[in-house]
Amino acid sequence: MTSYMHSLAIDAHDPKALADFWCKVLNYQIDYEEEGFVSTTPKEGRSLRLEFLQVPEGKTVKNRLHLDIRAQDSSQEAEVARVESLGAYRVDVGQTSKDSWVVLADPEGNEFCILAGLEE
């Protein structure tokens, strides 16, 4: 027997606001919500469910796990600009100018990378 990835749980101070951010970034939708918990799924196709759980403490150290995302129909530069316009910001986690990814953080400080396009 094997297992499959069903969901990724993300701790959040404000689960609804963070879910809204990621829904805009990934073209997801909120499919379930209750106090302190929001679940999201892709609007199209199948992919990993993202679940946001309210926790009292804030983020204090670099993530041990992060998302890598890639634009489907634009350049890396354009995708970085789009995601920054939604509330993400650039962070330095030790990457170099030779790296092909851009490291950003979501509005609650969770790091993620935007990878270069397959053609870039």
Side-chain angles (χ1 to χ4, degrees):
M1 296 192 93
T2 61
S3 300
Y4 69 96
M5 294 280 295
H6 173 265
S7 59
L8 176 65
I10 301 170
D11 290 349
H13 176 73
D14 184 344
K16 176 73 165 86
L18 200 55
D20 287 342
F21 168 82
W22 281 105
C23 282
K24 291 173 188 166
V25 170
L26 298 173
N27 195 31
Y28 271 43
Q29 61 193 357
I30 292 174
D31 68 344
Y32 180 79
E33 186 175 358
E34 64 181 55
E35 186 172 338
F37 177 80
V38 179
S39 178
T40 67
T41 54
K43 288 183 179 178
E44 299 175 8
R46 287 184 59 171
S47 190
L48 188 65
R49 171 185 299 272
L50 298 180
E51 297 176 340
F52 300 86
L53 300 96
Q54 188 171 30
V55 296
E57 69 277 355
K59 181 179 172 301
T60 58
V61 297
K62 179 181 171 288
N63 294 359
R64 298 279 309 249
L65 174 75
H66 69 266
L67 299 176
D68 285 343
I69 64 174
R70 186 184 317 267
Q72 291 188 47
D73 53 8
S74 68
S75 69
Q76 179 186 41
E77 182 180 338
E79 185 65 359
V80 168
R82 182 185 77 84
V83 174
E84 285 178 321
S85 77
L86 297 172
Y89 54 94
R90 292 176 188 248
V91 294
D92 181 357
V93 296
Q95 69 272 26
T96 70
S97 61
K98 295 179 183 179
D99 293 328
S100 62
W101 56 86
V102 176
V103 182
L104 300 173
D106 69 20
E108 289 203 13
N110 300 300
E111 299 92 1
F112 64 98
C113 296
I114 297 184
L115 306 177
L118 295 175
E119 298 82 30
E120 293 180 272

